[in-house]
Amino acid sequence: MRKMLSGTHILVTAGPTHEPIDPVRYLANRSSGKQGFAIAGALAAHGARVTLVAGPVTLPTPPGVERIDVETAVQMQAAVEAALPVDAAVMVAAVADWRVESAGQKIKKGAGGPPTLRLVENPDILAGLAASPRRPRLLIGFAAETEHVIDHATTKRARKNVDWIVANDVSGDVMGGTANTVHIVTADGVESWERMPKDAVATKLAERIAAALA
Ligand code: C5P
């Protein structure tokens, strides 16, 4: 039987990024990668060729998914560019907003007191893809918010020039947890899904993506 996403190539980013402070320390966030990995698996199960660019997580690769492991935002951006062209991209990664300007030798604890870290902004991989001549025809961003979830997601959709924003309320135990409550913000409005396991969110989203690409 022909599967819904046969013949398509879809990019998924997932997980956090780690930004080195020095060779032994890094800045990170609480993303587990579970939602992004579940989406990659669901897309592959529906017949898509899936390239999963994953930050540092301890999750098994879903069956049928081609996985590229990266550590930093700059590496993730390079891996995303190398995966193009794609029909759709689902950018689930919790990319660090900042990196340490220069991470040289191990910083020594000493008489000078605590070090000052100079941060510089990381590239916005999603916005870069939206502005690229190789923009996928369906570009989906995620928005992790702790308040005014739908308002912020609606603004973000317009500002980043993406087709859909999947907004999730991360004020509870979403990060690292197994369930998620999401709102799909598109040009046509907002669809709020009931709280469900991340695997179920992934399956439902894969079906919606298949319908949009058909
Ligand atoms: O602006 P904000 O970080 O909240 O946007 C979240 C969305 O943008 C997610 O889809 C995330 O994967 C993507 N993003 C990105 N590169 C960044 C920051 C966010 O691709 N540097």
Side-chain angles (χ1 to χ4, degrees):
M1 197 185 75
R2 194 182 143 78
K3 295 185 175 175
M4 281 193 296
L5 284 166
S6 297
T8 65
H9 181 199
I10 303 183
L11 169 73
V12 180
T13 67
T17 63
H18 284 181
E19 308 296 334
I21 295 171
D22 68 18
V24 297
R25 307 180 176 98
Y26 57 82
L27 299 176
N29 62 63
R30 294 187 187 283
S31 170
S32 66
K34 281 178 192 160
Q35 186 63 82
F37 272 58
I39 290 168
L43 292 167
H46 281 94
R49 173 186 161 207
V50 178
T51 304
L52 170 63
V53 178
V57 295
T58 52
L59 293 172
T61 307
V65 168
E66 179 200 347
R67 171 176 179 176
I68 297 159
D69 284 320
V70 298
E71 189 181 345
T72 67
V74 168
Q75 290 167 0
M76 185 172 278
Q77 185 179 45
V80 163
E81 281 170 11
L84 301 178
V86 293
D87 299 288
V90 193
M91 311 292 275
V92 197
V95 182
D97 290 314
W98 308 285
R99 67 179 181 276
V100 177
E101 188 172 38
S102 59
Q105 296 305 308
K106 184 180 172 196
I107 302 169
K108 290 300 207 190
K109 185 165 60 175
T116 303
L117 298 180
R118 276 186 62 89
L119 302 182
V120 292
E121 208 149 307
N122 266 331
D124 188 321
I125 304 168
L126 176 59
L129 193 53
S132 145
R134 293 196 290 170
R135 183 193 193 282
R137 67 191 161 100
L138 181 61
L139 182 56
I140 304 172
F142 266 64
E145 307 286 358
T146 54
E147 56 179 8
H148 309 298
V149 177
I150 292 171
D151 284 353
H152 285 162
T154 305
T155 312
K156 192 166 294 183
R157 198 189 80 82
R159 178 166 48 83
K160 295 211 185 195
N161 182 29
V162 301
D163 300 300
W164 304 350
I165 287 279
V166 180
N168 55 355
D169 187 338
V170 293
S171 56
D173 60 353
V174 168
M175 283 197 142
T178 53
N180 207 353
T181 310
V182 305
H183 312 270
I184 314 293
V185 181
T186 71
D188 300 328
V190 182
E191 216 180 277
S192 294
W193 294 355
E194 63 191 16
R195 182 178 163 86
M196 60 181 90
K198 288 181 177 176
D199 282 344
V201 170
T203 301
K204 210 170 155 166
L205 193 64
E207 283 162 6
R208 219 175 181 293
I209 290 169
L213 290 181

